[in-house]
Amino acid sequence: KLGVDGALRLIDEGLLDVARLNHLLCHYSSHHFRSRIFDLLQMSGAYTEARSAAEAALKADAFLRSAPAVISRLGFTSLAIGNRSEAVEWCNRGRAQYPRDPRFWGCDLTLMGWAGKTRADVDEAWRLLAASEARDSANLLVSGAGTRRLLVAAVAARAGLSDSALAIARRVRDSLPAGAPSSAVDYGEAYVHALLGHEDQAITLLESYLRANPALRGQVRQSPWFATLRTTPRFQAITAP
């Protein structure tokens, strides 16, 4: 924050001419820019770099105000680079240190959604979903209701329950509020279709998602969810830099 305030002061004093600047380099230690830097790294699909930046920020200040958000991001990026055991550790740490933070109420479901593959896992995923939403008396999690159910659908897809997985996905789409963009569920539903081997359907959904979120091409391109699509010309075309 001091660096940002100092730069603004120089601008006010006429000592820094922004018209002559091509770009501004921000370090992840900046409280002002830290969250945005992590967002940009994840949006570009640079999951390893995002994880390293988050770890360094947390190590520099373990009690920073944004610690819950950083720990949550570390859980996600650990999953994205294939380190599930580390993601479990971040989930447990977040839940222990910030038990009232809704970001950690459903992290067990997220872990299950990325790896569960048996019929018993499907039952457990439904239980975790119900448990996380039962805590949400203030409806803090309402915006992610569809995403959470699509994680259950992903477990069902891996368990070979294709009809169940597709039925869940249909219910999620049918339950979208009037006027809500379909892109809100396109990403998660595309993952379900990718798991079921439905390449065309998955890519069509990703096309819709990227029309609404063009800045996320890198994230989609590098996401392990869509690794099986990377050699597909249509996928390559829609995720090209």
Side-chain angles (χ1 to χ4, degrees):
K1 187 174 186 299
L2 290 175
V4 174
D5 289 343
L8 293 174
R9 186 168 59 252
L10 290 174
I11 293 171
D12 289 340
E13 295 173 358
L15 299 176
L16 182 60
D17 184 1
V18 295
R20 300 179 63 185
L21 294 178
N22 293 321
H23 57 273
L24 178 67
L25 295 178
C26 308
H27 194 267
Y28 53 73
S29 62
S30 165
H31 286 275
H32 188 85
F33 289 112
R34 179 184 291 129
S35 178
R36 185 58 178 155
I37 292 170
F38 293 161
D39 285 343
L40 290 171
L41 287 169
Q42 287 189 192
M43 286 167 61
S44 68
Y47 298 117
T48 300
E49 292 81 355
R51 172 175 165 270
S52 297
E55 284 184 326
L58 197 63
K59 186 179 297 184
D61 183 3
F63 301 99
L64 71 161
R65 286 178 299 175
S66 58
V70 175
I71 291 172
S72 178
R73 290 163 192 256
L74 280 164
F76 171 77
T77 52
S78 294
L79 281 173
I81 64 173
N83 195 332
R84 187 177 186 280
S85 61
E86 189 176 85
V88 171
E89 291 177 8
W90 289 119
C91 172
N92 290 338
R93 176 171 172 177
R95 190 167 43 212
Q97 292 186 348
Y98 306 99
R100 296 184 179 180
D101 194 307
R103 277 171 286 217
F104 304 109
W105 295 349
C107 60
D108 283 328
L109 174 60
T110 299
L111 293 166
M112 179 66 75
W114 279 65
K117 59 183 179 181
T118 68
R119 294 187 177 217
D121 287 339
V122 176
D123 292 338
E124 177 65 3
W126 283 121
R127 187 193 70 77
L128 292 170
L129 172 65
S132 64
E133 294 186 346
R135 298 190 60 178
D136 189 23
S137 59
N139 288 327
L140 298 175
L141 302 177
V142 66
S143 64
T147 298
R148 289 190 294 278
R149 282 155 179 78
L150 288 169
L151 287 172
V152 179
V155 180
R158 287 194 214 91
L161 303 173
S162 58
D163 289 344
S164 295
L166 293 173
I168 295 168
R170 281 194 299 271
R171 288 200 299 272
V172 168
R173 187 166 292 276
D174 290 344
S175 66
L176 281 174
S182 66
S183 59
V185 297
D186 285 340
Y187 191 83
E189 188 177 344
Y191 181 38
V192 174
H193 281 286
L195 288 169
L196 293 172
H198 303 164
E199 288 188 355
D200 287 341
Q201 294 95 319
I203 294 173
T204 296
L205 288 164
L206 290 174
E207 286 175 334
S208 173
Y209 178 75
L210 290 174
R211 277 196 297 271
N213 303 280
L216 299 181
R217 288 191 302 272
Q219 180 171 319
V220 173
R221 182 173 61 251
Q222 299 298 332
S223 172
W225 281 12
F226 307 113
T228 58
L229 305 177
R230 289 177 188 160
T231 59
T232 305
R234 277 184 68 201
F235 181 82
Q236 293 172 353
I238 66 171
T239 61

